[in-house]
Amino acid sequence: MNSSPHMLERNFTTDPERVLDLKALRADFPALHQQVRGHPLVYLDNGATSQKPQSVIDTIRHYYERDNSNVHRGVHTLSERATLAYEGVRKKVRNFFNAASIREIIFVRGTTEAINLVAQSYGRPRFSAGDEILITEMEHHSNIVPWQLLCQQTGATLKVVPFNDAGELDVDAYHQLLGPKTRLVAVVHVSNSLGTVNPVAEMIKAAHQFDVPVLVDGAQAVAHRKVDVQALDCDFYTCSAHKLFGPTGTGVLYAKEALLADMEPYQGGGDMISRVSFEKTLYNDLPYKFEAGTPNIAGVIGLGAALDYLDELDMAAIAAHEDELLDYATTQLQSLPGVRLIGTATEKASILSFCIEGVHPHDISTILDGEGIAIRAGHHCTMPVMTHYGLSATARASFALYNNRADVDALIAGIDKVKEIFQS
Amino acid sequence: MNDMRDLYEELILDHNRNPRNYPKKPTDCNCTAHGHNPLCGDEFIVNLTVEDGVIKDIGFEGAGCAISTASASLMTEAIIGMPVEDADKLFSEVRHLLTDDDEDDDGEHADESVLGKLSVLKGVKEYPMRVKCATLAWHTMHAALMGKKDSTTE
Ligand SMILES: Cc1ncc(COP(=O)(O)O)c(C=O)c1O
């Protein structure tokens, strides 16, 4: 790790290997260096999407300038380059997640498509009336609606594990709801509106005692925590490249090979077949069976560059840095009168949702934008979470590895401005 | 800071703090619609009493941000007692003020003076993502007059 260009050589207070060289890191992200409404940009909307390092931008550009071609289809040089680059990323993703095989890595459009794929290819042929799908009250709409559609199609029932007012899952209720009727558990790893890190390893273990497979929505986890799918023993894991310093329109479904082998294809088309005739079509091997049509080649290659970028860093150092920042921000926000934190779980990562008394989150966000500060205001695609707290929206600051204390200080000063304007 | 004051003018803050005709549903209300901005969760019900083509009474219920609340409140003050046609014309003036959008525009615009207090909303123009907040109550009012039950800004 000492060889990494982003690690500081020495630090007097912390383990030197666990400190990120923030200045160097920030320089890698061109979008961070701009003025917004006359102020330097303070980007705290990483939960929505992260900024991209120059290396990702350059890689995509290089692909289009030099290697652009379709994959798996040609024997000419450009197609070979594109195919090698695209398939090379599958190996990088395998390493990133410590999956057992590249056959377990399916490229999709994003988390949303990954979950829909599992619902339709795994759930639809298997589930029927009387079966239960177990999710939680803090899921993103993309981990609710695909299951509701599946329930309509199959007659299965959706069951929901509640959370307490701190935003922690009711694990006892989970154990009670889990039973012989449960056919699948789908749970968010890190909540995008509360920041809660759920005890997914424990939940997976419990589900497996009933032979129930578990899907973990890792959209908000992968940029902040090391994820080892074999250690977790999850059956499905999903994420989006764009929240992981990669481009939009690309994501990953990890699934255990034995499950994938038994699943129906999601979409039909080119690439996913091995032989087609009008009488019978043979499907291609894994993972191609699930990748119909021309994929987002540039997107996948860009994701590869993002993983290379992260590979030079230490995920534990990123987590430690972000946790420290979250603590710093939490302490300051808690001390501001009229500010209420939404989501105060003991285990949290990178996300800080809050409300200011008498001020709608959209007004908070507009006033902060006037100071160059980007946060998210709204229901964060988690309407049931808003309902839990009797709110229609929250303001949310979300951190990534390049954020620093100055960003938090700007946020706090911005909140003071909001209060000043609204209390006049 | 100063340009934020252009958006959050005292009049807007005042109508946000103390919305007029709110929460209110006239007893003889005969036109009502529900308006929703799915982007931010603003939600209003606009209730009108229309007699002989004139808006005799109006009130609104629900909750939203300062911009949408103030706009709704100012709207109720502006159109109470107005012929329905004039209320629709005023809506198109407000839209013009906020967007320069020439869709459904007949090209004729009275000068800003017809807007009166409503011209306080002009600061919203600088914030395209917030224009839907400012027009939500107006769309809802329009839907109520057209006999539609629901209106969204999407
Ligand atoms: C927890 C969680 N799940 C799923 C999603 C959906 O991701 P995408 O829109 O990239 O498919 C998001 C993104 O907002 C999220 O935060």
Side-chain angles (χ1 to χ4, degrees):
Chain A
M1 278 303 154
N2 278 338
S3 60
S4 162
H6 296 307
M7 293 303 181
L8 280 179
E9 289 290 302
R10 285 177 45 179
N11 180 284
F12 296 107
T13 53
T14 335
D15 176 356
E17 288 200 0
R18 294 179 61 87
V19 175
L20 298 171
D21 184 350
L22 279 177
K23 216 164 174 189
L25 279 181
R26 289 177 78 88
D28 294 335
F29 292 81
L32 293 178
H33 308 286
Q34 61 179 302
Q35 301 275 311
V36 168
R37 297 194 188 271
H39 299 270
L41 170 67
V42 174
Y43 189 75
L44 294 174
D45 193 20
N46 297 285
T49 197
S50 59
Q51 296 302 342
K52 323 303 172 199
Q54 190 66 51
S55 60
V56 167
I57 299 164
D58 290 347
T59 299
I60 293 170
R61 182 185 170 127
H62 180 271
Y63 165 73
Y64 277 125
E65 285 180 350
R66 297 264 313 153
D67 303 336
N68 175 52
S69 184
N70 214 324
V71 289
H72 307 141
R73 294 184 188 183
V75 289
H76 61 77
T77 302
L78 264 58
S79 177
E80 187 174 281
R81 279 193 216 143
T83 305
L84 285 177
Y86 180 83
E87 288 304 325
V89 178
R90 213 183 294 277
K91 292 191 192 117
K92 291 175 189 177
V93 174
R94 188 204 76 77
N95 289 340
F96 183 74
F97 283 118
N98 189 32
S101 153
I102 56 162
R103 289 185 297 281
E104 301 181 318
I105 306 300
I106 316 286
F107 291 123
V108 290
R109 211 156 50 79
T111 306
T112 302
E113 187 173 57
I115 297 171
N116 278 280
L117 189 160
V118 174
Q120 293 304 312
S121 296
Y122 180 81
R124 194 166 182 181
R126 285 174 180 73
F127 298 177
S128 57
D131 290 343
E132 293 177 359
I133 300 162
L134 190 51
I135 64 169
T136 85
E137 192 187 357
M138 67 173 85
E139 297 310 314
H140 188 280
H141 296 163
S142 65
N143 204 19
I144 301 175
V145 185
W147 307 118
Q148 288 174 326
L149 289 169
L150 179 61
C151 287
Q152 281 167 22
Q153 291 159 346
T154 62
T157 311
L158 198 62
K159 295 278 171 179
V160 182
V161 184
F163 62 80
N164 65 21
D165 290 347
E168 294 160 330
L169 271 191
D170 183 341
V171 178
D172 290 341
Y174 171 67
H175 287 288
Q176 273 162 25
L177 285 163
L178 196 59
K181 288 185 179 169
T182 315
R183 299 296 309 274
L184 184 112
V185 171
V187 57
V188 68
H189 197 169
V190 175
S191 155
N192 67 307
S193 50
L194 299 166
T196 311
V197 183
N198 285 314
V200 288
E202 181 192 333
M203 293 171 77
I204 292 164
K205 223 174 173 177
H208 285 174
Q209 285 176 354
F210 291 92
D211 281 329
V212 173
V214 179
L215 177 145
V216 179
D217 169 1
Q220 294 293 341
V222 287
H224 311 288
R225 293 284 186 274
K226 169 74 194 156
V227 173
D228 180 329
V229 289
Q230 292 193 76
L232 275 180
D233 200 24
C234 57
D235 302 277
F236 302 101
Y237 198 94
T238 64
C239 74
S240 302
H242 71 95
K243 297 183 200 281
L244 189 61
F245 315 109
T248 53
T250 303
V252 173
L253 168 66
Y254 157 82
K256 283 182 181 164
E257 187 170 349
L259 291 169
L260 285 175
D262 257 5
M263 281 161 58
E264 297 287 311
Y266 179 50
Q267 294 178 328
D271 261 9
M272 56 76 71
I273 47 82
S274 68
R275 180 181 295 272
V276 174
S277 72
F278 289 112
E279 289 70 42
K280 186 168 173 56
T281 289
L282 290 178
Y283 302 137
N284 203 342
D285 294 335
L286 292 176
Y288 311 108
K289 183 171 119 183
F290 292 99
E291 292 180 9
T294 300
N296 185 346
I297 304 166
V300 166
I301 291 172
L303 168 62
L307 295 182
D308 287 344
Y309 183 82
L310 285 171
D311 204 36
E312 294 203 356
L313 306 173
D314 174 5
M315 218 58 203
I318 293 171
H321 163 66
E322 291 176 358
D323 288 351
E324 192 271 338
L325 209 55
L326 187 63
D327 278 351
Y328 179 70
T330 303
T331 309
Q332 299 213 46
L333 271 182
Q334 269 169 339
S335 69
L336 298 175
V339 174
R340 173 181 169 208
L341 294 184
I342 307 297
T344 48
T346 322
E347 294 294 327
K348 277 189 70 170
S350 74
I351 278 164
L352 198 58
S353 266
F354 61 96
C355 293
I356 303 177
E357 208 182 311
V359 191
H360 190 281
H362 268 79
D363 298 312
I364 300 174
S365 183
T366 293
I367 295 172
L368 291 180
D369 183 58
E371 303 293 314
I373 305 164
I375 62 153
R376 170 99 186 257
H379 52 61
H380 318 294
C381 297
T382 55
M383 282 187 171
V385 172
M386 300 299 116
T387 306
H388 179 106
Y389 292 99
L391 300 167
S392 67
T394 72
R396 179 188 74 182
S398 49
F399 304 110
L401 50 86
Y402 40 65
N403 288 118
N404 57 22
R405 283 189 174 217
D407 293 338
V408 175
D409 294 341
L411 174 69
I412 302 297
I415 291 173
D416 282 339
K417 289 239 158 91
V418 173
K419 292 170 70 177
E420 201 180 307
I421 288 177
F422 269 76
Q423 276 156 25
S424 59
Chain B
M1 185 71 184
N2 281 339
D3 47 327
M4 272 304 144
R5 290 279 181 199
D6 290 343
L7 178 61
Y8 292 100
E9 283 207 44
E10 191 46 47
L11 190 63
I12 287 188
L13 294 170
D14 173 48
H15 277 260
N16 176 50
R17 265 193 302 266
N18 307 302
R20 320 298 197 267
N21 300 303
Y22 174 90
K24 172 175 149 187
K25 181 172 188 177
T27 44
D28 47 359
C29 159
N30 56 7
C31 293
T32 191
H34 176 247
H36 180 216
N37 180 348
L39 187 74
C40 57
D42 290 348
E43 218 160 351
F44 291 119
I45 297 165
V46 173
N47 303 308
L48 303 115
T49 307
V50 179
E51 273 168 36
D52 304 327
V54 173
I55 298 166
K56 287 277 193 272
D57 204 356
I58 180 167
F60 74 108
E61 303 164 273
C65 63
I67 305 296
S68 61
T69 307
S71 180
S73 170
L74 287 161
M75 175 187 83
T76 62
E77 281 193 323
I79 69 173
I80 198 163
M82 237 184 209
V84 167
E85 267 169 42
D86 292 3
D88 267 340
K89 268 192 208 131
L90 192 59
F91 178 20
S92 86
E93 290 302 328
V94 168
R95 238 184 339 202
H96 181 72
L97 176 78
L98 293 172
T99 59
D100 280 340
D101 189 351
D102 283 336
E103 204 190 327
D104 319 314
D105 194 337
D106 55 10
E108 280 176 43
H109 287 283
D111 62 291
E112 257 188 38
S113 62
V114 302
L115 289 166
K117 275 188 194 173
L118 291 168
S119 56
V120 73
L121 294 170
K122 68 176 177 299
V124 180
K125 195 172 174 173
E126 296 300 312
Y127 299 85
M129 301 296 284
R130 302 300 303 277
V131 168
K132 286 175 174 178
C133 303
T135 53
L136 176 60
W138 294 83
H139 281 290
T140 312
M141 175 270 291
H142 183 72
L145 293 177
M146 302 292 285
K148 289 191 221 150
K149 283 212 169 66
D150 290 300
S151 160
T152 80
T153 55
E154 288 277 301

